[in-house]
Amino acid sequence: SSHFGSSLSAEAIWTEFAEAAPHFPTLPARHPPVAAMPDKSDNPMRQIKVEKLTLNISVGESGDRLTRAAKVLEQLTEQQPVFTKCRLTIRSFGVRRNEKIACYVTVRGEKAEEILEKGLKVKEYELRKKNFAHNGSFGFGITEHIDLGIKYDPSTGIYGMDFYVHLSRPGLRVQYRKLRRGKVGSAHRLRKEDGMKWFQTKYDGIILN
């Protein structure tokens, strides 16, 4: 019953209300309870893969040495290398503008992972933190190409080479495609920590300071 306008004290009204409260019907919650965030580790769109592997041999001069370096890359990858040219004339280095001074080849798919495995084996699966870029990709170098399993040829000589591994997640191409180009959200982009964790997990790698 209503107590408005009655002579009962406020304390007595509150006591009576508290005793009757358990019998009031409960109203449904306005917002349902928030479910726990699902585990995204099994999501195929979150899997990290080797987008491409770039192998580069920088000779610093044109001529026979550069041609032999290109043959080394062709022998390793079974692909035709591309020659890169010097941008500026630097007399102290002995190079002229537009002179071919290096060669590189880009490898993808299973072949890229196979060559990367050989390169990391030479490094004994040890990389430094500074080998990793802010976007998770990483690079390293080797001093002798014969460590990759290529037979030594005295007429060719020995060349070192640079490895650069570009990592990505599925869906990255939306920011590069010509039609309906979009942005990749910050949560989907790779970071340095993601690349380091991938290297440690996939190859049992060791990261040095």
Side-chain angles (χ1 to χ4, degrees), residues 15-200:
T15 305
E16 189 175 336
F17 176 76
E19 290 173 355
H23 305 291
F24 291 163
T26 55
L27 296 174
R30 183 175 293 179
H31 298 289
V34 179
M37 290 294 288
D39 184 18
K40 294 184 178 180
S41 59
D42 296 331
N43 187 339
M45 293 296 287
R46 301 285 296 173
Q47 301 300 320
I48 299 174
K49 62 176 182 176
V50 177
E51 182 74 18
K52 60 185 176 181
L53 167 66
T54 305
L55 302 172
N56 177 72
I57 298 180
S58 184
V59 179
E61 62 178 277
S62 58
D64 289 343
R65 284 195 67 217
L66 183 59
T67 307
R68 290 197 297 267
K71 284 182 180 176
V72 168
L73 286 180
E74 189 173 355
Q75 189 178 354
L76 178 63
T77 62
E78 299 174 357
Q79 292 178 207
Q80 192 68 33
V82 177
F83 293 97
T84 54
K85 297 177 181 178
C86 184
R87 283 194 312 114
L88 303 169
T89 298
I90 305 176
R91 290 186 178 180
S92 58
F93 290 173
V95 292
R96 298 186 309 275
R97 186 170 179 267
N98 287 335
E99 180 184 1
K100 293 178 180 179
I101 57 171
C103 56
Y104 74 92
V105 66
T106 301
V107 193
R108 301 174 192 267
E110 292 181 5
K111 190 188 291 184
E113 295 191 11
E114 183 185 328
I115 296 172
L116 174 60
E117 180 88 40
K118 292 179 182 177
L120 289 172
K121 201 171 183 179
V122 175
K123 301 294 286 186
E124 296 180 345
Y125 300 97
E126 289 184 358
L127 294 177
R128 296 184 179 275
K129 282 184 181 177
K130 64 182 181 181
N131 287 111
F132 291 83
H134 65 91
N135 63 354
S137 300
F138 62 94
F140 59 91
I142 61 170
T143 53
E144 297 182 357
H145 73 275
I146 55 174
D147 292 335
L148 299 173
I150 300 175
K151 189 176 179 182
Y152 172 68
D153 184 359
S155 63
T156 303
I158 294 178
Y159 290 90
M161 67 177 68
D162 303 316
F163 285 67
Y164 196 78
V165 186
H166 179 62
L167 300 178
S168 70
R169 285 191 174 115
L172 187 72
R173 65 176 289 272
V174 298
Q175 66 181 352
Y176 299 117
R177 65 189 181 187
K178 194 171 182 180
L179 297 176
R180 299 181 65 81
R181 186 175 296 177
K183 292 184 178 179
V184 176
S186 60
H188 198 66
R189 291 195 196 111
L190 285 174
R191 295 177 177 81
K192 184 174 184 176
E193 293 75 21
D194 297 324
M196 292 165 68
K197 186 178 178 183
W198 177 86
F199 168 67
Q200 290 173 317

